[in-house]
Amino acid sequence: MQNQNFNYISTAIDPRGVAQLVLNRPEVHNAFDDNMIQELIQALDLFATNPQVRVLLLRSSGKNFSAGADLGWMRSMADKNYDENLQDAGELARLMQKLDNFPAPTLAIVQGAAFGGAVGLVACCDIAIASDKASFCLSEVKIGLIPAVISPYVVRAIGERASRRYFLTAERFFAAEALHLGLLHQLVSEDELHDVSDAMVQTLLANSPAAVKAAKNLIFTVANQPTTQALIDETSRRIAAIRVSSEGQEGLSAFLQKRTPAWQQTQPHADTDNKGQA
């Protein structure tokens, strides 16, 4: 993957195939605007088409994960007409959809505050690990707006009942509550964030790359669908296809022969001094 010159984010891929997507505006608490949104979309497109990428980490630099929308960006939107606002919102929606549909596993690592649209970014990731001091807020109604674009992902993550409270009150809630609601999967101390996140990455990397991607796609196919004969037939087709695939055959053979599968035998260690840029 060729180097890209990003101003608002940074990216890297380590030898294991772990891609890093880092919000990198710590001076404004990683608030995002239309420029950052475009850079995130571009990086996601590059990573999604890179066969080396096995896991995507979404994190940020500095004290806070993200303060949500940049104040200057919000001021500019107030001066735009309906059609311009519709186009602007469409780009944020495109970002959320690309992150949600990313083919490889995605892991959000959250420290500090995650407000507004940043809650949507967390909700779009497959796994979310946060500092026990992290906090969240769906703050839009405080300034006369609504969390519209992120709502499908946040409501899916925390449920309709919790959304009825936090969409309407704009209350700040903290890491323990976010864990209880299902927005987060694990809480750790801030000092442990790196080590615990890397342990999760190692867990993901131990599994068949093709099977992990197929399992993620399977979830999208079966979630909230009635168990019709068509769905039963589709799931039967998928397991049959993966059983006869090269990785399926290797995995079954390794299990039966009590040996390590090929994708683990060739797995390199992380090398922070040898990062390819997205």
Side-chain angles (χ1 to χ4, degrees):
M1 185 176 290
Q2 296 180 345
N3 292 354
Q4 300 293 320
N5 294 319
F6 293 123
N7 296 313
Y8 297 96
I9 66 174
S10 62
T11 59
I13 306 173
D14 74 19
R16 302 172 298 171
V18 178
Q20 302 246 9
L21 186 53
V22 185
L23 310 183
N24 196 26
R25 298 183 75 202
E27 69 280 3
V28 291
H29 306 287
N30 299 305
F32 53 82
D33 59 9
D34 52 346
N35 295 310
M36 181 185 273
I37 289 169
Q38 288 305 315
E39 290 190 0
L40 287 167
I41 289 172
Q42 184 181 0
L44 285 170
D45 282 342
L46 289 168
F47 282 143
T49 56
N50 186 336
Q52 296 178 359
V53 173
R54 293 188 56 190
V55 178
L56 174 68
L57 299 186
L58 175 66
R59 59 183 186 85
S60 61
S61 58
K63 181 180 178 181
N64 294 302
F65 182 75
S66 174
D70 179 86
L71 290 176
W73 183 42
M74 287 195 288
R75 288 191 195 99
S76 72
M77 289 190 290
D79 295 329
K80 292 178 179 178
N81 61 32
Y82 172 82
D83 289 335
E84 290 170 324
N85 268 279
L86 184 62
Q87 181 177 357
D88 200 81
E91 289 303 292
L92 180 60
R94 195 156 70 99
L95 167 61
M96 295 294 164
Q97 185 180 40
K98 284 182 180 291
L99 180 58
D100 191 59
N101 291 331
F102 193 80
T106 52
L107 172 60
I109 305 169
V110 184
Q111 83 285 1
F115 282 13
V119 180
L121 292 176
V122 176
C124 286
C125 288
D126 300 316
I127 302 168
I129 299 173
S131 159
D132 54 13
K133 293 182 172 58
S135 63
F136 303 84
C137 185
L138 294 153
S139 53
E140 286 83 354
V141 295
K142 283 187 175 181
I143 56 172
L145 304 176
I146 55 175
V149 168
I150 66 172
S151 61
Y153 313 103
V154 177
V155 173
R156 183 185 63 193
I158 71 174
E160 180 184 348
R161 189 61 174 162
S163 298
R164 285 189 176 203
R165 174 174 177 172
Y166 292 109
F167 278 27
L168 306 185
T169 64
E171 294 171 274
R172 187 174 185 173
F173 58 98
F174 292 88
E177 180 67 7
L179 179 69
H180 173 71
L181 294 175
L183 181 64
L184 301 175
H185 293 95
Q186 189 173 0
L187 299 184
V188 298
S189 70
E190 196 143 323
D191 292 340
E192 295 175 306
L193 260 179
H194 178 272
D195 289 344
V196 172
S197 299
D198 195 61
M200 180 60 72
V201 167
Q202 294 284 32
T203 298
L204 291 165
L205 293 176
N207 300 325
S208 157
V212 167
K213 290 183 178 181
K216 180 170 179 175
N217 185 268
L218 176 67
I219 295 165
F220 291 131
T221 301
V222 305
N224 302 313
Q225 297 298 315
T227 310
T228 61
Q229 188 60 49
L231 187 63
I232 292 169
D233 292 343
E234 175 61 17
T235 56
S236 299
R237 184 197 65 77
R238 291 191 183 209
I239 186 59
I242 207 161
R243 280 176 182 166
V244 299
S245 70
S246 58
E247 284 190 17
Q249 290 288 298
E250 168 62 14
L252 287 170
S253 296
F255 175 75
L256 294 172
Q257 296 167 14
K258 298 183 179 180
R259 61 174 174 82
T260 303
W263 58 81
Q264 290 184 26
Q265 295 170 7
T266 58
Q267 184 59 49
H269 295 291
D271 182 358
T272 56
D273 296 324
N274 181 25
K275 292 180 179 178
Q277 299 299 306

